[in-house]
Short mmCIF file of all heavy atoms in Angstrom, two decimals:
data_model
loop_
_atom_site.label_atom_id
_atom_site.label_comp_id
_atom_site.label_asym_id
_atom_site.label_seq_id
_atom_site.Cartn_x
_atom_site.Cartn_y
_atom_site.Cartn_z
N GLN A 1 6.99 8.82 11.62
CA GLN A 1 7.29 10.22 11.48
C GLN A 1 6.95 10.69 10.05
O GLN A 1 6.38 11.74 9.86
CB GLN A 1 8.75 10.45 11.80
CG GLN A 1 9.11 11.90 11.92
CD GLN A 1 10.55 12.08 12.34
OE1 GLN A 1 11.41 11.30 11.94
NE2 GLN A 1 10.80 13.08 13.14
N GLN A 3 4.77 9.33 8.06
CA GLN A 3 3.32 9.31 7.93
C GLN A 3 2.71 10.58 8.53
O GLN A 3 1.82 11.19 7.95
CB GLN A 3 2.75 8.07 8.64
CG GLN A 3 1.25 7.94 8.52
CD GLN A 3 0.82 7.67 7.10
OE1 GLN A 3 1.39 6.82 6.46
NE2 GLN A 3 -0.16 8.40 6.62
N GLY A 18 0.27 27.93 -4.49
CA GLY A 18 0.81 28.90 -5.41
C GLY A 18 1.67 28.23 -6.46
O GLY A 18 1.42 27.12 -6.88
N ASP A 34 5.01 2.03 -0.06
CA ASP A 34 3.61 1.84 -0.47
C ASP A 34 2.64 2.57 0.45
O ASP A 34 1.58 3.01 0.01
CB ASP A 34 3.25 0.36 -0.55
CG ASP A 34 3.87 -0.29 -1.78
OD1 ASP A 34 4.01 0.41 -2.80
OD2 ASP A 34 4.21 -1.47 -1.71
N ALA A 55 6.83 -5.69 -13.68
CA ALA A 55 6.37 -6.78 -14.52
C ALA A 55 5.53 -7.80 -13.77
O ALA A 55 4.76 -8.53 -14.38
CB ALA A 55 7.56 -7.49 -15.15
N LEU A 113 8.36 2.72 -18.49
CA LEU A 113 7.86 3.82 -17.67
C LEU A 113 9.00 4.30 -16.78
O LEU A 113 9.73 3.49 -16.22
CB LEU A 113 6.67 3.36 -16.82
CG LEU A 113 5.45 2.93 -17.62
CD1 LEU A 113 4.38 2.34 -16.72
CD2 LEU A 113 4.88 4.09 -18.42
N MET A 118 1.77 8.65 -8.95
CA MET A 118 0.34 8.74 -8.74
C MET A 118 -0.01 10.23 -8.63
O MET A 118 0.50 10.93 -7.75
CB MET A 118 -0.11 8.00 -7.48
CG MET A 118 -1.60 8.04 -7.29
SD MET A 118 -2.27 6.93 -6.00
CE MET A 118 -1.24 7.26 -4.61
N MET A 146 5.32 21.96 -10.36
CA MET A 146 5.69 20.54 -10.35
C MET A 146 4.52 19.68 -10.79
O MET A 146 4.70 18.73 -11.56
CB MET A 146 6.18 20.12 -8.96
CG MET A 146 6.72 18.71 -8.93
SD MET A 146 8.07 18.40 -10.09
CE MET A 146 9.39 19.28 -9.32
N LEU A 164 -5.82 -1.28 -23.31
CA LEU A 164 -5.89 -2.69 -22.93
C LEU A 164 -6.51 -3.54 -24.04
O LEU A 164 -6.03 -4.62 -24.34
CB LEU A 164 -6.67 -2.85 -21.63
CG LEU A 164 -6.92 -4.28 -21.14
CD1 LEU A 164 -5.61 -4.99 -20.83
CD2 LEU A 164 -7.82 -4.26 -19.90
#
Side-chain angles (χ1 to χ4, degrees):
Q1 190 176 35
Q3 182 67 47
D34 286 328
L113 296 173
M118 183 169 49
M146 186 57 72
L164 176 62

